[in-house]
Short mmCIF file of all heavy atoms in Angstrom, two decimals:
data_model
loop_
_atom_site.label_atom_id
_atom_site.label_comp_id
_atom_site.label_asym_id
_atom_site.label_seq_id
_atom_site.Cartn_x
_atom_site.Cartn_y
_atom_site.Cartn_z
N PRO A 1 -1.57 16.51 -7.19
CA PRO A 1 -0.42 17.21 -6.61
C PRO A 1 -0.78 17.97 -5.33
O PRO A 1 0.02 18.00 -4.39
CB PRO A 1 0.00 18.19 -7.71
CG PRO A 1 -0.53 17.62 -8.96
CD PRO A 1 -1.79 16.92 -8.59
N THR A 2 -1.97 18.55 -5.28
CA THR A 2 -2.38 19.26 -4.07
C THR A 2 -2.50 18.29 -2.90
O THR A 2 -2.05 18.58 -1.79
CB THR A 2 -3.73 19.97 -4.30
OG1 THR A 2 -3.58 20.87 -5.40
CG2 THR A 2 -4.15 20.75 -3.07
N PHE A 3 -3.08 17.13 -3.14
CA PHE A 3 -3.19 16.12 -2.10
C PHE A 3 -1.82 15.69 -1.61
O PHE A 3 -1.57 15.60 -0.40
CB PHE A 3 -3.97 14.91 -2.61
CG PHE A 3 -3.89 13.73 -1.68
CD1 PHE A 3 -4.56 13.74 -0.47
CD2 PHE A 3 -3.16 12.62 -2.02
CE1 PHE A 3 -4.48 12.66 0.39
CE2 PHE A 3 -3.08 11.53 -1.17
CZ PHE A 3 -3.74 11.55 0.04
N LEU A 4 -0.89 15.43 -2.53
CA LEU A 4 0.43 14.96 -2.15
C LEU A 4 1.20 16.02 -1.34
O LEU A 4 1.94 15.68 -0.42
CB LEU A 4 1.23 14.55 -3.39
CG LEU A 4 0.69 13.32 -4.12
CD1 LEU A 4 1.47 13.09 -5.41
CD2 LEU A 4 0.71 12.10 -3.23
N VAL A 5 1.00 17.29 -1.67
CA VAL A 5 1.68 18.35 -0.94
C VAL A 5 1.04 18.57 0.44
O VAL A 5 1.74 18.72 1.44
CB VAL A 5 1.67 19.67 -1.75
CG1 VAL A 5 2.11 20.84 -0.91
CG2 VAL A 5 2.56 19.53 -2.98
N LEU A 6 -0.27 18.56 0.48
CA LEU A 6 -0.96 18.93 1.72
C LEU A 6 -1.20 17.78 2.68
O LEU A 6 -1.59 18.01 3.82
CB LEU A 6 -2.29 19.60 1.39
CG LEU A 6 -2.19 20.92 0.63
CD1 LEU A 6 -3.58 21.47 0.35
CD2 LEU A 6 -1.37 21.93 1.42
N ARG A 7 -0.97 16.55 2.28
CA ARG A 7 -1.28 15.43 3.17
C ARG A 7 -0.35 15.39 4.39
O ARG A 7 -0.69 14.79 5.39
CB ARG A 7 -1.23 14.11 2.42
CG ARG A 7 0.14 13.63 2.09
CD ARG A 7 0.08 12.29 1.43
NE ARG A 7 1.42 11.97 0.95
CZ ARG A 7 1.75 10.83 0.44
NH1 ARG A 7 0.84 9.89 0.34
NH2 ARG A 7 2.97 10.61 0.03
N ARG A 8 0.78 16.03 4.32
CA ARG A 8 1.66 16.04 5.49
C ARG A 8 1.11 16.92 6.61
O ARG A 8 1.57 16.84 7.74
CB ARG A 8 3.07 16.46 5.10
CG ARG A 8 3.19 17.91 4.69
CD ARG A 8 4.61 18.23 4.35
NE ARG A 8 5.37 18.50 5.55
CZ ARG A 8 6.27 19.43 5.67
NH1 ARG A 8 6.56 20.18 4.64
NH2 ARG A 8 6.90 19.63 6.79
N TYR A 9 0.11 17.74 6.30
CA TYR A 9 -0.52 18.57 7.32
C TYR A 9 -1.78 17.93 7.90
O TYR A 9 -2.51 18.57 8.63
CB TYR A 9 -0.88 19.95 6.74
CG TYR A 9 0.33 20.69 6.24
CD1 TYR A 9 0.54 20.85 4.88
CD2 TYR A 9 1.27 21.18 7.12
CE1 TYR A 9 1.65 21.52 4.41
CE2 TYR A 9 2.39 21.84 6.66
CZ TYR A 9 2.57 22.01 5.30
OH TYR A 9 3.67 22.66 4.84
N ALA A 10 -2.03 16.67 7.57
CA ALA A 10 -3.24 15.97 8.01
C ALA A 10 -3.21 15.78 9.52
O ALA A 10 -2.14 15.68 10.11
CB ALA A 10 -3.34 14.64 7.30
N PRO A 11 -4.29 15.74 10.20
CA PRO A 11 -5.65 15.85 9.68
C PRO A 11 -6.09 17.31 9.54
O PRO A 11 -5.94 18.09 10.47
CB PRO A 11 -6.50 15.13 10.73
CG PRO A 11 -5.75 15.34 12.00
CD PRO A 11 -4.29 15.42 11.63
N TRP A 12 -6.59 17.61 8.40
CA TRP A 12 -7.12 18.95 8.14
C TRP A 12 -8.51 19.07 8.72
O TRP A 12 -9.17 18.10 8.99
CB TRP A 12 -7.20 19.18 6.64
CG TRP A 12 -5.94 19.68 6.05
CD1 TRP A 12 -4.68 19.21 6.26
CD2 TRP A 12 -5.81 20.75 5.13
NE1 TRP A 12 -3.80 19.91 5.53
CE2 TRP A 12 -4.46 20.87 4.83
CE3 TRP A 12 -6.71 21.61 4.54
CZ2 TRP A 12 -3.98 21.82 3.96
CZ3 TRP A 12 -6.23 22.56 3.67
CH2 TRP A 12 -4.89 22.67 3.40
N ARG A 13 -8.93 20.28 8.90
CA ARG A 13 -10.31 20.54 9.28
C ARG A 13 -11.16 20.58 8.01
O ARG A 13 -10.67 20.86 6.92
CB ARG A 13 -10.42 21.88 10.00
CG ARG A 13 -9.55 21.98 11.20
CD ARG A 13 -10.32 21.51 12.41
NE ARG A 13 -9.55 21.81 13.60
CZ ARG A 13 -9.20 20.90 14.47
NH1 ARG A 13 -9.54 19.66 14.28
NH2 ARG A 13 -8.52 21.23 15.53
N TRP A 14 -12.45 20.34 8.14
CA TRP A 14 -13.34 20.28 6.99
C TRP A 14 -13.41 21.60 6.25
O TRP A 14 -13.49 21.63 5.04
CB TRP A 14 -14.73 19.81 7.41
CG TRP A 14 -15.43 20.75 8.34
CD1 TRP A 14 -15.38 20.73 9.71
CD2 TRP A 14 -16.26 21.84 7.99
NE1 TRP A 14 -16.11 21.76 10.22
CE2 TRP A 14 -16.67 22.46 9.18
CE3 TRP A 14 -16.68 22.37 6.78
CZ2 TRP A 14 -17.50 23.58 9.19
CZ3 TRP A 14 -17.51 23.48 6.80
CH2 TRP A 14 -17.91 24.06 8.00
N TRP A 15 -13.34 22.71 6.98
CA TRP A 15 -13.47 24.01 6.32
C TRP A 15 -12.22 24.34 5.51
O TRP A 15 -12.30 25.02 4.49
CB TRP A 15 -13.77 25.12 7.33
CG TRP A 15 -12.86 25.12 8.52
CD1 TRP A 15 -13.06 24.50 9.72
CD2 TRP A 15 -11.60 25.77 8.62
NE1 TRP A 15 -11.99 24.71 10.55
CE2 TRP A 15 -11.07 25.50 9.91
CE3 TRP A 15 -10.85 26.56 7.76
CZ2 TRP A 15 -9.85 25.98 10.34
CZ3 TRP A 15 -9.63 27.03 8.19
CH2 TRP A 15 -9.15 26.75 9.47
N GLY A 16 -11.07 23.89 5.92
CA GLY A 16 -9.85 24.08 5.14
C GLY A 16 -9.90 23.33 3.82
O GLY A 16 -9.45 23.82 2.78
N VAL A 17 -10.46 22.13 3.87
CA VAL A 17 -10.62 21.32 2.67
C VAL A 17 -11.58 22.01 1.70
O VAL A 17 -11.36 22.03 0.49
CB VAL A 17 -11.10 19.91 3.04
CG1 VAL A 17 -11.46 19.11 1.82
CG2 VAL A 17 -10.05 19.19 3.85
N LEU A 18 -12.66 22.60 2.24
CA LEU A 18 -13.61 23.31 1.39
C LEU A 18 -12.95 24.49 0.69
O LEU A 18 -13.18 24.73 -0.49
CB LEU A 18 -14.80 23.80 2.21
CG LEU A 18 -15.83 22.75 2.60
CD1 LEU A 18 -16.90 23.38 3.49
CD2 LEU A 18 -16.45 22.12 1.39
N VAL A 19 -12.13 25.23 1.41
CA VAL A 19 -11.46 26.40 0.82
C VAL A 19 -10.50 25.97 -0.29
O VAL A 19 -10.51 26.54 -1.39
CB VAL A 19 -10.71 27.21 1.90
CG1 VAL A 19 -9.83 28.27 1.29
CG2 VAL A 19 -11.70 27.83 2.88
N VAL A 20 -9.70 24.95 -0.03
CA VAL A 20 -8.75 24.47 -1.04
C VAL A 20 -9.50 23.93 -2.25
O VAL A 20 -9.13 24.21 -3.40
CB VAL A 20 -7.81 23.40 -0.45
CG1 VAL A 20 -6.99 22.71 -1.54
CG2 VAL A 20 -6.89 24.03 0.59
N GLY A 21 -10.58 23.19 -2.03
CA GLY A 21 -11.37 22.66 -3.14
C GLY A 21 -12.00 23.77 -3.97
O GLY A 21 -12.03 23.70 -5.20
N PHE A 22 -12.48 24.82 -3.30
CA PHE A 22 -13.07 25.95 -4.03
C PHE A 22 -12.01 26.62 -4.90
O PHE A 22 -12.25 26.93 -6.06
CB PHE A 22 -13.67 26.96 -3.05
CG PHE A 22 -14.43 28.06 -3.71
CD1 PHE A 22 -15.76 27.90 -4.01
CD2 PHE A 22 -13.81 29.24 -4.07
CE1 PHE A 22 -16.48 28.91 -4.64
CE2 PHE A 22 -14.50 30.25 -4.71
CZ PHE A 22 -15.85 30.08 -4.99
N ILE A 23 -10.84 26.82 -4.33
CA ILE A 23 -9.75 27.46 -5.08
C ILE A 23 -9.33 26.60 -6.27
O ILE A 23 -9.04 27.12 -7.35
CB ILE A 23 -8.56 27.76 -4.14
CG1 ILE A 23 -8.96 28.86 -3.15
CG2 ILE A 23 -7.32 28.15 -4.93
CD1 ILE A 23 -7.97 29.08 -2.03
N LEU A 24 -9.32 25.28 -6.10
CA LEU A 24 -8.95 24.39 -7.20
C LEU A 24 -10.03 24.31 -8.27
O LEU A 24 -9.74 23.94 -9.41
CB LEU A 24 -8.65 22.98 -6.69
CG LEU A 24 -7.36 22.83 -5.88
CD1 LEU A 24 -7.21 21.40 -5.40
CD2 LEU A 24 -6.16 23.26 -6.68
N GLY A 25 -11.26 24.67 -7.95
CA GLY A 25 -12.31 24.69 -8.95
C GLY A 25 -12.24 25.89 -9.87
O GLY A 25 -12.74 25.85 -11.00
N LEU A 26 -11.60 26.96 -9.44
CA LEU A 26 -11.51 28.18 -10.25
C LEU A 26 -10.69 28.02 -11.53
O LEU A 26 -11.12 28.48 -12.58
CB LEU A 26 -11.00 29.33 -9.40
CG LEU A 26 -11.90 29.71 -8.21
CD1 LEU A 26 -11.27 30.83 -7.40
CD2 LEU A 26 -13.30 30.06 -8.66
N PRO A 27 -9.52 27.37 -11.49
CA PRO A 27 -8.79 27.17 -12.75
C PRO A 27 -9.56 26.32 -13.76
O PRO A 27 -9.40 26.49 -14.97
CB PRO A 27 -7.50 26.47 -12.34
CG PRO A 27 -7.35 26.71 -10.91
CD PRO A 27 -8.72 26.93 -10.36
N VAL A 28 -10.41 25.43 -13.28
CA VAL A 28 -11.23 24.62 -14.18
C VAL A 28 -12.21 25.52 -14.93
O VAL A 28 -12.39 25.39 -16.14
CB VAL A 28 -11.96 23.51 -13.41
CG1 VAL A 28 -12.90 22.75 -14.31
CG2 VAL A 28 -10.96 22.57 -12.75
N ALA A 29 -12.82 26.46 -14.22
CA ALA A 29 -13.74 27.41 -14.86
C ALA A 29 -13.01 28.24 -15.91
O ALA A 29 -13.52 28.45 -17.01
CB ALA A 29 -14.38 28.31 -13.82
N VAL A 30 -11.82 28.68 -15.58
CA VAL A 30 -11.05 29.48 -16.53
C VAL A 30 -10.69 28.64 -17.76
O VAL A 30 -10.81 29.11 -18.89
CB VAL A 30 -9.77 30.04 -15.85
CG1 VAL A 30 -8.85 30.68 -16.87
CG2 VAL A 30 -10.15 31.03 -14.77
N ALA A 31 -10.28 27.39 -17.55
CA ALA A 31 -9.88 26.53 -18.67
C ALA A 31 -11.06 26.21 -19.58
O ALA A 31 -10.90 26.13 -20.80
CB ALA A 31 -9.27 25.23 -18.14
N ILE A 32 -12.23 26.04 -19.01
CA ILE A 32 -13.39 25.69 -19.82
C ILE A 32 -13.83 26.86 -20.69
O ILE A 32 -14.24 26.68 -21.83
CB ILE A 32 -14.54 25.20 -18.92
CG1 ILE A 32 -14.19 23.81 -18.40
CG2 ILE A 32 -15.88 25.19 -19.65
CD1 ILE A 32 -15.16 23.25 -17.41
#
């Protein structure tokens, strides 16, 4: 869902992708 929402803003910069990926990793830690 994040990809589908954010792909309209492409091309992203690499650092923006890192930030979004880091934020998406946090709910996984909470769920585990």
Side-chain angles (χ1 to χ4, degrees):
T2 302
F3 169 71
L4 293 175
V5 169
L6 296 179
R7 74 177 172 173
R8 69 179 278 220
Y9 300 109
W12 274 47
R13 304 269 189 237
W14 64 270
W15 50 267
V17 172
L18 284 176
V19 170
V20 170
F22 187 88
I23 291 170
L24 289 178
L26 297 178
V28 175
V30 171
I32 287 175

